[in-house]
Amino acid sequence: DGATTFYDAVGGAQTFDDLTRRFYEEVARDEILRPLYPEEDLVPAERRLRMFLEQYWGGPRTYSDERGHPRLRMRHHPFRIGPIERDAWLRCMHTAIDSIGADRLDDDHRRALVDYMEMAAESMVNSPL
Ligand code: HEM
């Protein structure tokens, strides 16, 4: 029927897998972000972000099947997220997005992804500093 989701248009599971793997490689060596993660193992956190983003962009709904309604702002309440944490998160995400080749992410798709991430990161801020 010609309807294609953003998820499919940018390469489906492989693209979201690459994006979140690359993002968590950056988190793992980020001095600001790494201490916020309660678990030694970042793999479960990587999987939750991957499932969430896949669902948000029109892919499988595994995130909500497993976790229910996202309620992301509430789920981030245990972590102090000020402008410094927001910027660190975005730095990692920009690096991850830049690592996805132009064959999968054209300029419009890249722009949509970056705009969304900037809006989402800002909306997670729960501390003035
Ligand atoms: C969970 C940090 C922004 C999506 C988490 C966790 C931490 C964290 C420490 C717990 C790790 C875990 O799940 O085991 C941050 C910081 C942010 C940020 C410092 C800075 C702004 C975002 C944004 C999104 C996001 C913008 C979505 C676009 C998620 C998801 C989970 C999560 C889906 C798992 C929620 C669940 O099902 O329990 N985040 N996050 N985060 N974060 Fe973030």
Side-chain angles (χ1 to χ4, degrees):
D1 61 7
T4 298
T5 61
F6 183 97
Y7 173 82
D8 288 323
V10 301
Q14 184 69 61
T15 295
F16 286 85
D17 200 53
D18 291 343
L19 182 70
T20 51
R21 184 165 11 83
R22 202 63 195 78
F23 175 75
Y24 271 100
E25 279 171 20
E26 294 302 309
V27 169
R29 45 199 177 87
D30 189 284
E31 304 182 332
I32 294 155
L33 295 179
R34 186 62 188 90
L36 290 179
Y37 285 80
E39 292 173 55
E40 174 82 35
D41 183 7
L42 290 175
V43 171
E46 177 183 323
R47 181 163 178 277
R48 289 191 276 268
L49 178 62
R50 191 188 73 226
M51 291 188 304
F52 171 81
L53 292 174
E54 289 186 328
Q55 173 170 315
Y56 179 86
W57 293 101
R61 303 195 51 83
T62 322
Y63 179 86
S64 281
D65 291 345
E66 288 191 16
R67 308 288 289 163
H69 190 287
R71 299 184 200 286
L72 283 190
R73 199 174 145 77
M74 186 196 79
R75 291 192 207 263
H76 286 76
H77 252 123
F79 318 112
R80 197 196 68 180
I81 302 178
I84 291 171
E85 289 76 17
R86 175 201 64 201
D87 289 350
W89 193 98
L90 280 172
R91 198 162 61 235
C92 294
M93 187 52 80
H94 285 136
T95 300
I97 291 173
D98 284 346
S99 77
I100 304 294
D103 51 327
R104 287 191 281 174
L105 270 193
D106 66 22
D107 286 347
D108 288 349
H109 287 137
R110 180 179 304 272
R111 193 70 249 160
L113 213 43
V114 167
D115 285 352
Y116 168 75
M117 295 300 179
E118 288 176 355
M119 178 280 292
E122 178 62 33
S123 77
M124 232 55 84
V125 170
N126 56 24
S127 167
L129 75 178

